[in-house]
Amino acid sequence: MQSIGVVGSGRLGSALARALVSAGYRVTALASGTGASASTVAQQLAAGVVAVPVEQVAGYAKHIFLAVPDASIANVCAMLAVTPGHAVIHTSGAQGLAALAPAHAMGAQVGVFHPLQAFTASAPSDVFAGISIGIEADGQLGDELQRCAERLGARALSLRGVDRACYHAAAVFASNYLVALQLAAARAWELAGLPRDLAQAALAPLTVGAARNLLHAPLAQALTGP
């Protein structure tokens, strides 16, 4: 992938752009809904990265990653002036290749590159290290995306033939529901008569410790306490 554009400068898009640059890839263009956020991220990256409108990204990059909300993928894809020499890749776990039909109809290669990770606005460039990245793409693009995952320090996971609803639900249980669980734990803490403002500081390390056990032991052995 000799030139890369990233559409979407939110938590995932900005983290992906930083990680790609750190891995030695040439990111040439960023775009976002507001434009201002893309400019901010572009200024943080290597020289030569420009912030442009979505419609112009294809003029600067041959591989275009769409780090946008699921409901926006098809519309944003249709805005790209791609040709058979382009590749368009979205980062959604719930959506398949059909969401990129507008680009496919114009002859571009299409793919999925879904990082199984929870991102923050200040995510470091090594946030992809050790995680799994779900990939679906045909031929050369599939090989390129697998190599990209490996260069980011991640494991490539094939999503071909996978039930996307169940796959995405698994990710939601492991990530989003953990935050909801912390809220429930904080409520129980408060009902016990303890100060609510101490709940997160006291309970979050317990959750982190349990999560660390999951990385190194089978589920049955990771369980401790009652």
Side-chain angles (χ1 to χ4, degrees), residues 136-159:
E136 183 177 6
D138 292 325
Q140 180 182 348
L141 179 59
D143 295 338
E144 290 172 344
L145 293 180
Q146 180 169 337
R147 286 195 297 269
C148 180
E150 293 168 354
R151 283 179 64 171
L152 293 177
R155 297 178 295 272
L157 173 71
S158 175
L159 296 182

Side-chain angles (χ1 to χ4, degrees), residues 73-201:
I73 293 174
N75 289 337
V76 172
C77 182
M79 297 169 65
L80 301 172
V82 296
T83 69
H86 286 91
V88 181
I89 307 106
H90 74 61
T91 56
S92 168
Q95 300 294 317
L97 295 176
L100 299 172
H104 187 264
M106 290 185 281
Q109 298 181 76
V110 294
V112 176
F113 192 82
H114 175 244
L116 280 161
Q117 178 63 289
F119 294 91
T120 63
S122 57
S125 59
D126 64 352
V127 69
F128 292 85
I131 72 169
S132 293
I133 297 180
I135 292 173
E136 183 177 6
D138 292 325
Q140 180 182 348
L141 179 59
D143 295 338
E144 290 172 344
L145 293 180
Q146 180 169 337
R147 286 195 297 269
C148 180
E150 293 168 354
R151 283 179 64 171
L152 293 177
R155 297 178 295 272
L157 173 71
S158 175
L159 296 182
R160 187 178 301 279
V162 170
D163 184 319
R164 291 305 174 82
C166 288
Y167 165 73
H168 194 244
V172 169
F173 270 100
S175 179
N176 302 49
Y177 283 9
L178 185 60
V179 178
L181 184 63
Q182 280 293 302
L183 181 61
R187 178 59 177 153
W189 172 276
E190 186 178 17
L191 290 173
L194 293 163
R196 183 179 179 83
D197 59 351
L198 298 180
Q200 186 170 344

